[in-house]
Amino acid sequence: MRPEHPSNRPASTSPLADTQREWAPDPASPLPLHRQISAFFMAKISSGAWPPGMRLAPQRELCRQLGVNRSTLVTALGVLADQGLIEGRRGGGTRVTAVQADGKAEGAKLFGNWNDYLEEGTHYPNLPAVQAINRLEYEPGLIRLGTGEPAPGLLPGAAMTRVLAAGPLPPLSYEEPLGSSSLRRAVSRELLKSGITADPASILITSGALQGLQLIALGLLPRGSTILLEKPSYLYSIHAFQSAGVKFSGLPMDQGGLLTRHIATEALRTKAAMLYTIPSFHNPTGIVMDRERRQSLMEITGGLGLPILEDGAYQELWLDSPPPPPLKALDREGRVLHLGTLSKAASPGLRIGWIVGPEPVIRRLADIKMQTDYGASSLSQLAAARWLDGGYHEEHLMVLRGKLRERREFMLQLLQAHFTELATWSIPAGGFYIWLSLHQPMPLRRLFTAALQAGLLLNTGDLYDRGDSRHLRLSYAYASPEELSRGLPALAGIIKQNIN
């Protein structure tokens, strides 16, 4: 997928994206709702929080966020327009106008507006749909059917409290560039359980696995280079590589994982610099690359001298039986970089991940990380080291797997009852996701909007493959059984309406 030129990217601003959770008009107030809204908007504009050129969200979205009807919102916007604080532009929505110190509107100055800066930054904004999901996940009342994290009730809050109370805290000064030595030793021992032999000097502690992707994109791949990856893939939903000027070339999959017979041809055609894969419980499909396919992948990429970036975020979350050994466990040439994290099993908020690789590569990435944040949180690293060394992690995984099995079975029962005529799916052997394949293609953005109006938050397939029109990523890890009982039948009804 060719990266967009920054000047062609849409602005990613949306008023009320965060403030709506802090403020809403009060129906019990003697002040009319439209007056409350216009006063709130006016305060945002006059304080500079909403700068000139900022585009307001569409009226339908503003109505939903504020909980008012369209006529109330239009009246409020009319007050602002009469004062010259906002203006409508054909094809450009409604934007904040420039204002003088006395609050009156004026024409543009030499300094245009922050929008110009937002659109010229080197790091791409998230896809609009991803921005919407990131914002909406924190709105109360929505049923999150695709969220890629464990529900709060599945997280080990009590155990983590014991970890933090296990002894006096050290000074919590900066850690060394590679990260806490005690944590790297603990990670080294943990990796050995899956067959990966990694000396602590070959491990870099990161602020989550996502930072690992960003460091690799910035530090190892030249602009204009190409990486091969499965299609669909989680990487299509983020811009860590595209923002670094790296292009993607997608490879097809089947139920055995990435089809390795396409690697050599595509690598030579694109002069690929790296191959990225999630071999165990792939995001978003849930597929496990089989043992023979893994061996084939290692042999083909070895012949090409092609490095591999292996994302092992989900490999511990097996529900039926452990997956085949990670690619890093098969690596005898130092060609595989392996990403790991505690976010999917133990604590998303701890923000602890790691990269395993050859020592010179790890030192290079550590240098970039030091320039970025001077190291992951010392407190988080201390907690993670105690968590792993104290045996809490293995104990928690046993409990978590049991709860995920129950949730998986419950979702499968609901799918069988409500989606048999609408879609097909496979039973995942682990991870969080069921990849729902609709019998008929449909506009997934329209489905997303219709579901949102019904109180359902979806992760549609076009986030992971731009051309997709028939897949949904469903997660059994977040929504409660009660929410699934309401949400999945409602989703089936919405799909039927959109088909007809």
Side-chain angles (χ1 to χ4, degrees):
M1 183 180 67
R2 186 183 300 277
E4 297 176 287
H5 187 276
S7 62
N8 294 329
R9 287 178 272 142
S12 60
T13 53
S14 177
L16 301 186
D18 297 308
T19 55
Q20 193 269 332
R21 294 194 300 275
E22 303 169 3
W23 182 88
D26 181 8
S29 171
L31 191 66
L33 293 179
H34 76 273
R35 293 280 299 277
Q36 295 181 50
I37 294 170
S38 61
F40 177 75
F41 282 24
M42 196 178 303
K44 287 290 183 181
I45 294 169
S46 62
S47 70
W50 292 359
M54 182 175 182
R55 183 166 54 199
L56 273 65
Q59 290 186 6
R60 176 182 294 180
E61 176 64 10
L62 289 175
C63 288
R64 190 193 65 79
Q65 293 176 1
L66 293 166
V68 298
N69 59 42
R70 189 169 181 272
S71 63
T72 298
L73 177 68
V74 168
T75 302
L77 295 179
V79 172
L80 300 175
D82 290 343
Q83 297 185 33
L85 297 176
I86 61 173
E87 63 179 359
R89 300 180 183 178
R90 184 179 298 275
T94 301
R95 295 178 182 266
V96 177
T97 59
V99 294
Q100 298 175 346
D102 60 6
K104 296 180 180 178
E106 64 172 11
K109 296 181 179 179
L110 181 62
F111 169 81
N113 56 64
W114 281 113
N115 238 33
D116 298 333
Y117 290 76
L118 297 177
E119 295 183 5
E120 292 300 329
T122 58
H123 201 289
Y124 291 9
N126 268 324
L127 298 170
V130 174
Q131 291 185 48
I133 290 171
N134 289 341
R135 179 180 77 251
L136 292 165
E137 283 186 331
Y138 296 93
E139 285 199 11
L142 288 179
I143 298 177
R144 296 160 58 172
L145 292 178
T147 294
E149 66 182 86
L154 298 180
L155 297 178
M160 196 62 72
T161 299
R162 294 196 299 273
V163 166
L164 291 171
L169 295 179
L172 297 180
S173 54
Y174 289 126
E175 297 287 356
E176 58 186 285
L178 295 184
S180 158
S181 58
S182 61
L183 176 55
R184 286 185 288 116
R185 288 193 297 270
V187 170
S188 175
R189 290 188 287 270
E190 194 67 26
L191 289 168
L192 197 57
K193 297 176 183 178
S194 62
I196 297 176
T197 302
D199 187 270
S202 298
I203 299 171
L204 170 64
I205 302 302
T206 61
S207 299
L210 179 57
Q211 187 185 47
L213 294 174
Q214 293 168 330
L215 294 174
I216 290 166
L218 291 172
L220 301 182
L221 299 174
R223 295 189 70 85
S225 61
T226 297
I227 62 174
L228 307 182
L229 74 169
E230 294 113 339
K231 192 172 185 179
S233 175
Y234 159 72
L235 276 197
Y236 283 100
S237 69
I238 61 174
H239 281 155
F241 286 90
Q242 296 96 319
S243 294
V246 177
K247 296 176 286 187
F248 291 163
S249 180
L251 300 174
M253 305 174 67
D254 64 11
Q255 288 304 308
L258 188 152
L259 291 170
T260 56
R261 64 177 179 269
H262 297 280
I263 292 176
T265 301
E266 195 63 15
L268 295 173
R269 185 187 72 81
T270 62
K271 299 181 180 179
M274 184 174 285
L275 182 146
Y276 169 85
T277 180
I278 310 176
S280 295
F281 315 119
H282 176 264
N283 182 6
T285 66
I287 289 172
V288 177
M289 188 184 297
D290 63 39
R291 189 180 300 268
E292 292 74 21
R293 199 74 59 88
R294 294 179 192 226
Q295 190 62 51
S296 172
L297 186 150
M298 293 297 294
E299 292 173 359
I300 293 171
T301 56
L304 295 168
L306 185 66
I308 297 171
L309 175 53
E310 177 184 33
D311 193 333
Y314 299 89
Q315 70 181 27
E316 297 178 306
L317 298 175
W318 51 268
L319 302 184
D320 299 326
S321 59
L327 299 176
K328 187 63 181 172
L330 308 176
D331 182 22
R332 299 295 177 266
E333 304 168 280
R335 286 189 301 107
V336 179
L337 299 179
H338 179 86
L339 292 177
T341 182
L342 289 179
S343 294
K344 299 303 179 183
S347 174
L350 204 59
R351 305 309 304 137
I352 290 295
W354 50 85
I355 307 173
V356 182
E359 291 185 21
V361 175
I362 293 302
R363 289 196 297 270
R364 163 66 172 151
L365 298 177
D367 176 62
I368 299 173
K369 178 170 172 57
M370 291 296 284
Q371 297 178 55
T372 303
D373 63 7
Y374 225 70
S377 162
S378 299
L379 181 59
S380 290
Q381 293 188 70
L382 172 67
R386 289 180 176 179
W387 174 259
L388 294 173
D389 278 338
Y392 295 95
H393 190 58
E394 194 61 41
E395 180 181 335
H396 169 64
L397 280 174
M398 293 177 64
V399 174
L400 178 63
R401 288 177 186 132
K403 292 180 178 179
L404 288 176
R405 287 187 195 102
E406 293 174 0
R407 285 168 168 261
R408 179 188 63 177
E409 294 310 309
F410 188 67
M411 177 174 274
L412 289 170
Q413 292 172 14
L414 290 172
L415 291 177
Q416 187 66 36
H418 300 283
F419 284 82
T420 303
E421 298 179 357
L422 299 174
T424 58
W425 57 90
S426 297
I427 300 176
F432 293 161
Y433 310 120
I434 292 177
W435 189 234
L436 196 71
S437 180
L438 302 174
H439 291 325
Q440 297 185 34
M442 64 175 54
L444 293 181
R445 288 300 91 209
R446 188 175 72 190
L447 179 61
F448 177 90
T449 301
L452 183 59
Q453 292 173 345
L456 310 177
L457 188 58
L458 302 180
N459 284 56
T460 50
D462 54 343
L463 299 180
Y464 313 102
D465 176 356
R466 299 291 186 269
D468 193 349
S469 61
R470 60 193 313 158
H471 289 95
L472 299 175
R473 188 187 82 175
L474 298 179
S475 169
Y476 45 83
Y478 194 86
S480 68
E482 190 275 332
E483 288 176 324
L484 292 176
S485 295
R486 291 188 287 116
L488 288 176
L491 176 60
I494 294 168
I495 292 173
K496 291 175 182 177
Q497 292 174 3
N498 279 269
I499 289 175
N500 299 329

